[in-house]
Amino acid sequence: MDYVIEFSNNSFVGTLKWVYLEVIPPKDIEKSPKVMESLFQGIAGVVVTIPPLDTYVRGILGDRFSLEIVGAEGTMHFYVRTQKKYRNLIEAQIYAQFPDAEVIEVEDYTKSFPKVIPNKDWELWGTDVEKVDADPIPIKTYDKFEEDVTGTMIDPLAAMAEVIGTLGPGQFIWLQYVLDPQPEKWKKAYAQKLIDKLSKKAEKKEAGLFGHLIDIFAHFFAALSAPVEFGKAEKAADQPLEFKLTPGEKDVLKAVEENFSKNIFRVKMRLLLLGRREVFDKTYVSSFFGSIKQFNDLNLNNLKPNDASKTSNRYFMKNERLAFRQRRIYRRYRDRDMDGKTFHMSSKELATVWHFPNMEVKAPALSQVQSRRGSAPSNLPIG
């Protein structure tokens, strides 16, 4: 049944009119990633309710977007794939925060690569990325990237830009976030369930008659020998919440509640390393994923490769099964589909992992607008 739904969904997506936009940021950005939240808030505004019958029978889906960071032979590029009808929305949100940026329509960069990889000339490594814990628990966000002494923010994309800057000819890294904005009713239902669990209010299973009898006998003799106490003892359940949670649990609860105050998106995150066979270097995987691990917080949530999609195989028919996995994830990346493992992120999390590096990032990889736009002189002759 899932394969039928997947085929129907992908067929519907194929009928839509898409545009590919490259965003070239201005040279000197003095803003934090926070301003990028406005882009995701704008995207969240397109949410519409799709009847289940239309989804499962006709394959109709809600509007999706794909935001991508591409390392191409030492240069860093930012791309947005959107339906043509939303192009003005994307441009307006970007220009509102970065008036000196450039947004240009380009051909899909994946089309300049072979339709099938691996082949005799090209090799790749790829994986989906997933969250380790319950996905509404956020990853480390931009407000946590602060230098202890000066208090200035350390741009979380700086390390990523450095790795991309070392890519040589014939070497490429693709990082993709396919976004599916979620309606408010999903957030409210999931939020209360998770917050109740974290605040130790989750429903407890009934012990049953046998369990109650055991509890009575277990405490009967202890009660006979215990000193008489006057007054009503305070139950643990009546204690204030701050006394029932550890400091770490308090931080998690606070982060989750803040996360649910933002717009929420279902996300498919993919990472591909491509290269010509003569220069393909798999060590870039660990280097680049090291830059992604900056977003991990051991007290909150972490990002890791999804084992079911990772292009590795150790057992029966290794080469054949490896090639199948490589072709599958390559095709899914090019199609920008959401097949496989997905998770949820808030607009704040997305602004952390997809934004334009600030002026402190001096990596030569960054493609930037070299001069500011100026207004036209007021004394121009009118012909």
Side-chain angles (χ1 to χ4, degrees):
M1 184 64 180
D2 290 341
Y3 291 107
V4 175
I5 296 172
E6 177 183 323
F7 176 79
S8 181
N9 291 161
N10 290 339
S11 298
F12 169 75
V13 172
T15 65
L16 303 176
K17 295 181 179 179
W18 299 95
V19 292
Y20 299 84
L21 306 175
E22 180 174 5
V23 184
I24 304 175
K27 185 175 182 181
D28 296 323
I29 297 178
E30 299 179 354
K31 300 180 179 181
S32 78
K34 180 179 176 62
V35 299
M36 193 59 74
E37 285 195 58
S38 64
L39 170 62
F40 299 107
Q41 290 166 358
I43 291 175
V46 308
V47 172
V48 294
T49 301
I50 307 296
L53 189 63
D54 286 344
T55 299
Y56 290 102
V57 177
R58 300 172 58 193
I60 297 177
L61 299 170
D63 296 315
R64 295 176 176 176
F65 302 79
S66 182
L67 279 70
E68 298 161 9
I69 297 176
V70 173
E73 299 178 318
T75 59
M76 189 175 189
H77 303 268
F78 296 85
Y79 294 99
V80 179
R81 185 226 200 192
T82 178
Q83 290 184 59
K84 192 172 184 178
K85 62 182 179 179
Y86 293 127
R87 175 176 179 172
N88 290 340
L89 167 67
I90 298 298
E91 290 184 333
Q93 294 294 338
I94 291 175
Y95 285 137
Q97 301 300 330
F98 305 97
D100 297 315
E102 287 187 6
V103 182
I104 55 177
E105 184 174 347
V106 295
E107 293 293 326
D108 179 6
Y109 63 89
T110 69
K111 302 303 181 184
S112 62
F113 290 76
K115 289 185 177 181
V116 178
I117 296 179
N119 56 37
K120 63 183 180 67
D121 298 318
W122 290 84
E123 183 60 279
L124 75 79
W125 184 94
T127 186
D128 291 347
V129 181
E130 64 180 339
K131 282 186 174 180
V132 174
D133 294 317
D135 56 21
I137 299 177
I139 58 173
K140 185 178 180 180
T141 49
Y142 57 77
D143 53 326
K144 305 297 192 301
F145 286 85
E146 189 175 275
E147 209 277 327
D148 293 335
V149 178
T150 63
T152 58
M153 195 198 80
I154 302 172
D155 196 304
L157 291 192
M160 191 177 292
E162 290 292 343
V163 174
I164 288 175
T166 63
L167 293 172
Q171 296 175 323
F172 303 86
I173 291 176
W174 297 352
L175 180 62
Q176 178 182 80
Y177 302 92
V178 185
L179 309 183
D180 178 19
Q182 297 297 292
E184 286 295 316
K185 63 179 182 180
W186 176 94
K187 182 168 66 172
K188 290 178 181 178
Y190 206 117
Q192 194 57 53
K193 180 180 178 183
L194 184 61
I195 290 172
D196 285 349
K197 180 180 178 181
L198 290 172
S199 59
K200 304 296 177 68
K201 296 178 183 177
E203 294 182 1
K204 297 180 180 179
K205 295 182 178 179
E206 289 295 332
L209 178 61
F210 184 70
H212 285 302
L213 290 174
I214 292 177
D215 186 63
I216 290 171
F217 284 110
H219 295 86
F220 178 75
F221 293 103
L224 289 177
S225 60
V228 177
E229 293 185 7
F230 297 95
K232 187 176 179 181
E234 183 181 13
K235 295 181 180 179
D238 297 331
Q239 294 178 355
L241 182 59
E242 60 264 25
F243 294 115
K244 295 190 294 182
L245 299 178
T246 66
E249 289 172 332
K250 292 177 187 177
D251 290 342
V252 172
L253 181 58
K254 180 181 178 181
V256 170
E257 289 179 325
E258 180 186 0
N259 214 34
F260 275 122
S261 69
K262 308 286 185 178
N263 297 112
I264 299 292
F265 300 78
R266 186 166 68 97
V267 180
K268 161 58 68 176
M269 182 177 176
R270 291 190 183 95
L271 171 64
L272 263 63
L273 171 68
L274 303 92
R276 291 192 171 275
R277 286 194 175 272
E278 62 270 19
V279 294
F280 184 75
D281 186 356
K282 197 174 176 181
T283 60
Y284 277 106
V285 172
S286 57
S287 299
F288 195 80
F289 219 92
S291 67
I292 293 177
K293 285 184 176 180
Q294 291 182 104
F295 308 123
N296 292 353
D297 188 323
L298 296 180
N299 293 325
L300 296 175
N301 220 327
N302 304 282
L303 297 172
K304 76 176 188 67
N306 171 251
D307 291 335
S309 64
K310 192 163 51 176
T311 53
S312 59
N313 191 36
R314 300 178 182 178
Y315 303 107
F316 181 68
M317 297 180 64
K318 289 196 304 181
N319 294 336
E320 291 79 3
R321 293 173 63 197
L322 174 60
F324 170 77
R325 286 191 171 200
Q326 290 173 310
R327 291 192 299 268
R328 180 181 61 184
I329 197 168
Y330 181 64
R331 172 181 56 80
R332 288 178 171 178
Y333 188 105
R334 285 163 57 98
D335 292 342
R336 276 81 175 183
D337 67 33
M338 300 194 77
D339 301 336
K341 185 74 172 179
T342 60
F343 55 87
H344 293 83
M345 275 186 161
S346 68
S347 56
K348 184 176 183 180
E349 291 176 278
L350 288 170
T352 302
V353 299
W354 200 93
H355 65 268
F356 309 134
N358 62 33
M359 62 185 299
E360 301 298 327
V361 180
K362 303 296 184 182
L366 289 174
S367 176
Q368 299 172 318
V369 177
Q370 295 302 314
S371 59
R372 292 182 177 271
R373 293 179 179 179
S375 58
S378 58
N379 60 349
L380 284 177
I382 301 176

